[in-house]
Amino acid sequence: MTRSTVLRWAVQSLAPTMMLRRSARAGELGPRLATDRSLWDDPFPSYDEMRAQGDLVRGRVVYATASHAVASEVLRSPVFRVGVNAASLPPLARRMMAVAVDPEHPGPAEPPSMLAVDPPQHTKYRRLVSKVFTARAVAAMEPRITEIADELLDKMSREKSVDLVEHFAGPLPVRIIAEILGVPPSMHAQMLEWGNAAAVTLDPMLSYRSFRNAAVALREMHGWLDAHLQALRRNPGDDLLSKLATLEDEGEHLDDVELRMTALLVTGAGFETTVNLIGNGVAALLANPSQLDVLRAEPAYWENAADEVLRYDSPVQVTVRHAAEDTVVAGHEVSRGRFVTLMLGGANRDPAVFADPHRFDVRRENARDHLGFSAGIHFCLGASLARLEGATALRMLFDRFPGLALDGTPVRRQLRVLRGFERMPVTPGRTVSATAIPR
Ligand code: HEM
């Protein structure tokens, strides 16, 4: 494993890092944002700077945009793809691509993950998974979200000071995803550990150590999911993964690898992001107490508040597409094979769409127009679940602990693509009993 892991790290991480560093040294803002960790805590001035340079900023290797209009156009265009067609690459790039992935244990953003394939493969996966992951199935999860949140908040109420990420923002989405996948409680902590290790693979710049840890976690996760799926096939439960594993639709079904990849993607996409929606939401509300007053006076705004968090402090900051053919975007020619980095977090602060974009405003009328869930065919499949979990978690937390306050400086995760907190020490303060809160 070591030699091939080193090779894959060299292709997937070392080579892009060197390329990005070179472009960053030449003054390109997109690569600077990818490589300069000092910009990660507050990337928003850099997004403004990028927009001032143009709607689409041309770099030596990649293009970048922080414009809402351009990011939307690229995400919705059939010309821009997620998968790279190896046959269209020069021989050296083709050879590099061949060693870049571990075909037996791909990551959540590698084929055949839904996130990394184009139509017609994507259309098939999306259609089958959507059959199970319906609006009705999501709505039916609300009582469980409330029940789990209540349980976690009860535990928090017994503490003077707690880490909100460890005790609330993290475990809530993990437990929901675990129920979707029929994962037993004894495996929750392990899932969280695997998910955390795998989440870093979304970033282009990884140390060998992080890359190797992620590779080990992915191997273990694939092995466990394989056995889990076989058990679900033999003895299906009431969970969505069992339904997906036994689904047969017009002769189509997901094979074992496709199912495993879907489970792996839902694991990563489902909790590594929602934890950040809750954490970023708590931080934004504590920093803007007048907005909490608005929500206390008008609780109907909690749903909009979740969207405003997704806009203002997007849990997924960046995604990438490449042009499958020569095309024109915002008046710029983009040639075939070129990558475009889409700064979702920057598009969400674009003043052309959001008035006074750096203000956190839970009553913002068009908060839902954010690109925090992407757009086009890869629009987040779990968006309605994430919205429901985010709004429910934030409302219940602040209802139970009206005096919730920070107890030290929160620490951000050192990641570029995902944006959230590693730790957030808080004092719950006075507790309102769950039964005294109108539901
Ligand atoms: C706040 C929480 C979440 C955020 C911010 C988020 C964000 C995103 C984004 C930005 C994408 C598309 C990336 C791209 O276009 O390149 C995506 C795709 C996806 N998300 Fe989410 N997500 C969240 C929660 C969830 C949950 C809870 C689930 C499942 C239970 C989920 C499942 C998926 C799946 C399966 C895809 C791939 C869809 C496709 O390629 O067609 N996500 N998500």
Side-chain angles (χ1 to χ4, degrees):
M1 144 124 160
T2 316
R3 190 168 159 267
S4 66
T5 310
V6 172
L7 257 176
R8 285 192 294 113
W9 169 73
V11 174
Q12 273 192 35
S13 202
L14 186 62
T17 301
M18 282 162 58
M19 231 156 58
L20 286 167
R21 287 222 167 105
R22 221 168 116 200
S23 301
R25 277 197 298 274
E28 284 182 40
L29 208 42
R32 242 175 63 209
L33 266 164
T35 54
D36 183 350
R37 285 168 189 260
S38 71
L39 298 176
W40 292 1
D41 258 11
D42 184 12
F44 303 104
S46 306
Y47 296 145
D48 287 345
E49 203 181 324
M50 182 176 283
R51 245 180 275 108
Q53 288 178 5
D55 274 351
L56 185 68
V57 180
R58 186 190 181 132
R60 263 177 357 110
V61 183
V62 292
Y63 289 64
T65 183
S67 145
H68 189 282
V70 174
S72 305
E73 183 182 332
V74 169
L75 288 168
R76 292 185 166 94
S77 160
V79 170
F80 285 94
R81 306 276 169 85
V82 290
V84 179
N85 178 4
S88 68
L89 295 173
L92 176 64
R94 212 177 316 153
R95 275 206 300 278
M96 281 173 75
M97 238 187 102
V99 293
V101 285
D102 175 355
E104 295 299 312
H105 311 99
E110 287 171 354
S113 157
M114 195 188 315
L115 204 49
V117 295
D118 298 299
Q121 207 178 352
H122 177 266
T123 322
K124 172 191 159 189
Y125 296 170
R126 183 89 190 193
R127 194 175 63 79
L128 289 170
V129 179
S130 307
K131 276 200 154 296
V132 167
F133 213 82
T134 59
R136 216 160 131 211
V138 170
M141 285 179 217
E142 187 164 10
R144 273 307 281 154
I145 297 174
T146 311
E147 214 168 73
I148 297 169
D150 259 336
E151 208 180 290
L152 296 168
L153 294 170
D154 281 346
K155 275 198 202 143
M156 262 180 78
S157 70
R158 293 193 279 275
E159 305 292 333
K160 258 201 146 92
S161 174
V162 285
D163 176 4
L164 186 100
V165 177
E166 186 188 339
H167 291 272
F168 186 64
L172 177 64
V174 170
R175 285 178 60 178
I176 295 295
I177 293 299
E179 296 202 0
I180 290 174
L181 301 179
V183 172
S186 59
M187 282 302 292
H188 291 184
Q190 179 65 78
M191 278 218 343
L192 183 63
E193 204 180 294
W194 283 336
N196 281 339
V200 301
T201 59
L202 297 177
D203 276 11
M205 283 197 4
L206 287 190
S207 66
Y208 175 66
R209 198 191 152 116
S210 304
F211 188 89
R212 192 196 49 202
N213 289 346
V216 171
L218 282 171
R219 273 175 177 254
E220 290 176 1
M221 222 168 158
H222 274 281
W224 187 81
L225 279 171
D226 209 20
H228 178 57
L229 275 164
Q230 284 177 30
L232 291 187
R233 276 197 206 285
R234 282 194 304 271
N235 197 3
D238 212 17
D239 55 275
L240 296 185
L241 190 59
S242 290
K243 293 200 172 79
L244 199 56
T246 48
L247 181 79
E248 186 76 40
D249 185 66
E250 292 168 17
E252 278 196 316
H253 66 277
L254 296 180
D255 67 26
D256 280 2
V257 179
E258 293 168 339
L259 270 170
R260 221 189 315 143
M261 283 312 291
T262 303
L264 197 106
L265 172 62
V266 167
T267 309
F271 65 73
E272 289 298 331
T273 48
T274 313
V275 53
N276 298 340
L277 166 58
I278 301 171
N280 295 356
V282 173
L285 286 163
L286 290 178
N288 295 276
S290 65
Q291 296 299 303
L292 260 180
D293 294 340
V294 169
L295 292 162
R296 285 190 178 120
E298 298 175 82
Y301 277 111
W302 274 112
E303 274 175 36
N304 202 55
D307 271 301
E308 178 65 350
V309 175
L310 287 156
R311 181 198 74 81
Y312 178 79
D313 202 6
S314 314
V316 179
Q317 286 282 309
V318 191
T319 189
V320 180
R321 296 290 188 270
H322 72 94
E325 53 194 72
D326 293 349
T327 185
V328 175
V329 176
H332 297 262
E333 285 178 10
V334 179
S335 42
R336 187 169 78 115
R338 282 281 173 163
F339 283 86
V340 182
T341 310
L342 310 165
M343 309 290 172
L344 302 177
N348 290 340
R349 299 267 189 125
D350 185 344
V353 176
F354 302 107
D356 200 357
H358 300 303
R359 193 160 59 91
F360 178 67
D361 175 6
V362 297
R363 278 186 295 204
R364 186 180 290 280
E365 281 183 7
N366 65 347
R368 229 179 138 96
D369 292 344
H370 65 77
L371 297 177
F373 288 128
S374 188
I377 61 168
H378 293 280
F379 179 81
C380 175
L381 192 86
S384 45
L385 174 62
R387 282 191 167 111
L388 180 64
E389 272 187 71
T392 308
L394 290 171
R395 175 178 54 76
M396 288 180 68
L397 175 74
F398 284 101
D399 279 353
R400 289 287 293 275
F401 307 127
L404 186 88
L406 288 179
D407 189 26
T409 311
V411 179
R412 284 224 175 250
R413 293 183 81 179
Q414 277 297 297
L415 296 174
R416 168 67 190 125
V417 173
L418 299 180
R419 180 171 167 83
F421 290 93
E422 179 91 42
R423 282 193 304 280
M424 189 183 290
V426 294
T427 47
R430 179 172 68 87
T431 305
V432 175
S433 139
T435 49
I437 299 167
R439 292 265 159 83

